[in-house]
Amino acid sequence: MSARIILRPLTPDDRSIWQPLWDSYCAFYKVALPANVIDGLWEKLTGGDPAIHGMLAQNPDTGDALGLMHYVLHPHTWSLKTVCYLEDLFVTEAARGQGVGRALIEWLAGKGREEGWFRLYWHTDEDNATARLLYDRVAGPATMVRYAISLTK
């Protein structure tokens, strides 16, 4: 792979590139989402929803998809500035360790600095050691514990 990585927003024409990445991401987390949820996500990512956005990482030489990132912008109670939640980050197994995940996170942090966001945050499973190595280098070890209550059956 070239040392360069193309990072760009998802477009409506990218469904066939995005879908295998999303399927692999869901498989990694052992989640099976209904088709209508996936279709709804795709519509939000590419239909102009001002809160949810998607990025694609590609090899500039081959055009192959290397990874994806979805992020959500929302208000915050401690600041009048926007907060960004990096909800999904996935890099193909073949591209791991080559700077793709770091490039996506750094792109998002740069965008946040340019736009004056208050904070960029994310979480991952405690046992996701590969991702945590990167996250600890990029952001430092996490100091918060996440709790969740499922509100659906």
Side-chain angles (χ1 to χ4, degrees):
M1 182 177 83
S2 168
R4 301 176 330 247
I5 300 166
I6 294 173
L7 302 178
R8 64 175 182 79
L10 287 168
T11 69
D13 294 332
D14 289 330
R15 180 75 185 248
S16 65
I17 299 169
W18 171 86
Q19 188 72 58
L21 294 169
W22 181 246
D23 291 346
S24 294
Y25 177 77
C26 290
F28 177 82
Y29 281 107
K30 298 176 179 67
V31 173
L33 298 174
N36 68 319
V37 171
I38 297 169
D39 291 343
L41 169 60
W42 182 250
E43 182 60 33
K44 287 179 181 182
L45 289 168
T46 61
D49 185 318
I52 189 165
H53 306 272
M55 295 291 294
L56 187 65
Q58 288 181 285
N59 180 314
D61 300 324
T62 65
D64 292 343
L66 303 173
L68 64 75
M69 174 173 65
H70 303 151
Y71 60 97
V72 178
L73 303 176
H74 64 87
H76 192 270
T77 60
W78 293 4
S79 174
L80 298 177
K81 296 180 178 184
T82 297
V83 172
C84 180
Y85 172 49
L86 170 53
E87 187 155 3
D88 306 307
L89 179 68
F90 178 76
V91 175
T92 64
E93 193 169 336
R96 289 181 192 149
Q98 299 180 37
V100 177
R102 177 182 287 273
L104 286 162
I105 293 169
E106 288 178 352
W107 178 90
L108 191 57
K111 181 176 180 63
R113 287 184 195 99
E114 287 173 14
E115 295 187 6
W117 300 343
F118 181 67
R119 176 184 301 143
L120 164 61
Y121 71 102
W122 65 93
H123 62 264
T124 192
D125 281 347
E126 184 177 34
D127 64 353
N128 190 351
T130 302
R132 290 185 66 192
L133 286 172
L134 170 63
Y135 300 161
D136 286 351
R137 286 192 303 266
V138 171
T143 58
M144 301 292 283
V145 177
R146 178 184 169 261
Y147 295 91
I149 298 172
S150 179
L151 302 176
T152 62
K153 294 182 183 186

